[in-house]
Amino acid sequence: MIRDEISVSIQTLRWKCIESRAYSKRLHYGRFALSPLRKGRADTIGIAMRRALLGEVEGTCITRVKLENIKHEYSAIIGIEESVHDILMNLKEIVLRSDSYGIREASIYIVGPKNVTAQDIILPPSVKIIDTTQHIARLTKSITSDIRLQIEKNRGYIIHSSNNYQDGIFPIDAVFMPVRDANYSIHSYGSGNEIQEVLFLEIWTNGGLTPREALYEASRNLIDLFIPFLHGEEQNIDGMNNKKGSNMLPFPLSHVLTDTGETKEKIAFQHIFIDQLELPSKTYNSLRRANIHTLLDLLNYSREDLMRIEHLEKESVEQVLEVLRKRFAIDPPRN
């Protein structure tokens, strides 16, 4: 029985790591269970945890590269097999771990001929490379190469314009998310008013954090978001704290309660968030950057509109449309 496997207790809420694997240095997997939960709570926690794992957990990346006397991303360097673009893509693949914030400097100083890997990077003490075998470039001649790197710790990801190159400094599209994917499932047991639930969380990381560490950080960040509600000053409902010096904007409660133009269907769609659609993290983040947070926001876009969203590829648009058809029987108009 699954209840015996995870030691469910009807008195105390407990969590347990059921499975932990390291498929490689850059792919770790963990499966966790939280129980017992009242009916409905597992879904509430699962949605929040998945969103926090994909968007709130911090990671470390190389964000800028400086190459002397190089003016363009597609330049060829005499004595190096790869183009500048290939070198930048190889550096982007390097997985780092850092416990400190702020910008850190690193460098690669090499004399060819030599096969350059992540192991050749000279790092500050606070930064560690997860997989030192990552290939960077191959020097085919007896030349000297000096590459300067900028390392940052952040969350989410940053897309740089391809026209931002100057003085040999090349920004890299930085993916700070150590969690590659996160899913949850729910097991119910009992009957009638005694139904209990078990929440299962599955987490895949790139090795920059273990799944257990990612779970801890996501949980802590969620708690931090709610702390202001516990300690904040009670607000005046009529004026939302219109005291002199307050930085709160007035927001009358009547605005929420008397909007008769909203249908029941629209109100329902407004309370379904896009992280509940369980889309791939890349698709989810592209929608979120376009200020699409709820199903109602999404339904304001036609297929043509979705295709125009930056970094949302045709395959991602098809995934979104498929979810809308299967789960809500909705087929957005083409134009």
Side-chain angles (χ1 to χ4, degrees):
M1 291 289 291
I2 195 166
R3 285 195 293 173
D4 298 329
E5 180 185 344
I6 61 171
S7 305
V8 172
S9 165
I10 60 171
Q11 287 85 23
T12 308
L13 188 63
R14 295 179 181 177
W15 74 276
K16 181 177 180 180
C17 179
I18 299 173
E19 188 178 355
S20 180
R21 296 182 188 175
Y23 293 101
S24 67
K25 289 182 179 179
R26 290 191 282 181
L27 181 57
H28 291 228
Y29 170 79
R31 188 166 183 250
F32 307 88
L34 178 68
S35 64
L37 294 162
R38 291 182 186 175
K39 186 178 180 181
R41 286 187 176 179
D43 199 41
T44 301
I45 298 172
I47 292 168
M49 285 303 301
R50 183 175 187 272
R51 187 164 187 169
L53 284 162
L54 294 174
E56 299 294 328
V57 179
E58 296 180 330
T60 304
C61 291
I62 296 171
T63 55
R64 288 181 184 273
V65 180
K66 184 173 183 179
L67 298 166
E68 296 293 342
N69 303 319
I70 302 296
K71 295 184 178 180
H72 196 274
E73 179 184 1
Y74 295 98
S75 300
I77 306 174
I78 297 174
I80 298 182
E81 200 171 276
E82 290 81 3
S83 67
V84 173
H85 175 78
D86 293 332
I87 293 172
L88 295 177
M89 290 301 99
N90 291 336
L91 288 169
K92 182 180 176 179
E93 292 297 318
I94 294 174
V95 179
L96 301 170
R97 179 187 176 110
S98 175
D99 297 324
S100 59
Y101 291 88
I103 297 174
R104 297 287 182 269
E105 303 292 335
S107 63
I108 307 173
Y109 183 79
I110 41 179
V111 178
K114 179 179 174 62
N115 186 36
V116 185
T117 66
Q119 190 172 5
D120 297 301
I121 300 176
I122 302 170
L123 292 167
S126 59
V127 182
K128 177 186 175 183
I129 295 175
I130 300 302
D131 184 4
T132 57
T133 64
Q134 169 64 41
H135 175 75
I136 297 174
R138 178 173 173 77
L139 275 63
T140 57
K141 295 183 179 180
S142 182
I143 62 170
T144 300
S145 180
D146 188 11
I147 303 173
R148 303 289 173 175
L149 309 175
Q150 180 178 294
I151 297 171
E152 293 182 45
K153 185 173 184 178
N154 209 326
R155 65 183 63 176
Y157 60 90
I158 300 173
I159 305 297
H160 292 284
S161 168
S162 57
N163 299 319
N164 278 350
Y165 309 137
Q166 54 183 354
D167 301 326
I169 298 175
F170 298 86
I172 295 180
D173 294 343
V175 181
F176 294 104
M177 299 179 291
V179 177
R180 288 187 170 185
D181 200 2
N183 287 322
Y184 76 92
S185 58
I186 300 168
H187 170 73
S188 302
Y189 60 94
S191 59
N193 295 328
E194 301 299 323
I195 292 179
Q196 300 284 334
E197 295 179 336
V198 183
L199 172 66
F200 293 97
L201 278 169
E202 292 183 289
I203 304 170
W204 291 262
T205 70
N206 64 1
L209 288 178
T210 65
R212 187 186 291 258
E213 289 171 328
L215 181 63
Y216 172 80
E217 186 173 332
S219 304
R220 185 187 61 195
N221 290 340
L222 273 178
I223 292 169
D224 290 344
L225 288 173
F226 289 103
I227 284 177
F229 292 105
L230 298 176
H231 302 290
E233 182 181 355
E234 184 177 353
Q235 305 297 324
N236 183 328
I237 291 180
D238 292 330
M240 289 299 288
N241 196 358
N242 281 328
K243 295 178 183 178
K244 188 176 180 180
S246 169
N247 58 4
M248 294 289 290
L249 293 174
F251 193 88
L253 191 62
S254 59
H255 176 80
V256 179
L257 300 179
T258 61
D259 190 356
T260 56
E262 291 290 333
T263 64
K264 290 182 179 179
E265 188 179 58
K266 283 187 176 182
I267 292 172
F269 289 161
Q270 193 173 8
H271 289 85
I272 299 175
F273 293 89
I274 60 170
D275 58 352
Q276 294 173 254
L277 306 183
E278 298 184 357
L279 297 165
S281 57
K282 184 178 179 182
T283 305
Y284 165 76
N285 282 296
S286 296
L287 293 174
R288 192 175 65 169
R289 283 201 309 276
N291 290 321
I292 299 174
H293 302 289
T294 67
L295 183 57
L296 183 61
D297 296 335
L298 184 58
L299 294 179
N300 287 325
Y301 284 72
S302 67
R303 300 186 195 187
E304 226 172 64
D305 295 332
L306 291 172
M307 293 295 291
R308 293 194 190 102
I309 294 176
E310 192 175 4
H311 308 300
L312 194 65
E313 299 170 354
K314 184 178 179 181
E315 183 183 350
S316 299
V317 172
E318 290 301 324
Q319 289 172 340
V320 172
L321 296 176
E322 185 69 16
V323 169
L324 292 177
R325 290 190 202 102
K326 285 187 174 180
R327 295 185 61 173
F328 304 100
I330 296 172
D331 196 9
R334 291 191 176 275
N335 298 315

